[in-house]
Amino acid sequence: NEMKIKVKVHPNSSREKIIVNDDFLEVWIKKKPIDNKVNIRLIKLLEDYLKKKVSIKSGFKSKNKILEIK
């Protein structure tokens, strides 16, 4: 039972939050986009929020990502 979602990431934010829009999530992350830190934090935040396993399918170096939720 897998689901793909679109995520728009806002790195280097003053605080962290998640907003659910109609067809995508927006996630603000305090980390800077260096050494994969944003992607690691994004997965942790969303796994805590969704209580499911999350992986990045595309957009590793982009603010717009496709994530898979299991």
Side-chain angles (χ1 to χ4, degrees):
N1 190 9
E2 296 175 1
M3 187 174 94
K4 288 193 169 74
I5 56 165
K6 292 180 187 170
V7 177
K8 181 169 185 181
V9 180
H10 302 272
N12 203 18
S13 298
S14 59
R15 62 194 185 103
E16 294 186 330
K17 65 179 177 174
I18 297 171
I19 292 185
V20 180
N21 293 303
D22 287 341
D23 57 348
F24 70 100
L25 294 178
E26 267 188 282
V27 183
W28 282 258
I29 294 178
K30 288 182 178 179
K31 302 272 185 206
K32 293 186 163 113
I34 302 166
D35 297 334
N36 210 25
K37 286 182 179 153
V38 169
N39 290 337
I40 293 164
R41 183 66 184 142
L42 174 65
I43 287 171
K44 174 83 174 96
L45 272 179
L46 289 179
E47 284 182 343
D48 289 348
Y49 180 74
L50 299 168
K51 305 289 184 240
K52 295 193 182 294
K53 187 87 178 105
V54 175
S55 60
I56 298 174
K57 297 314 281 178
S58 68
F60 288 94
K61 294 188 178 288
S62 169
K63 287 184 180 181
N64 296 306
K65 303 176 187 298
I66 304 283
L67 300 183
E68 189 173 80
I69 300 162
K70 295 181 180 170

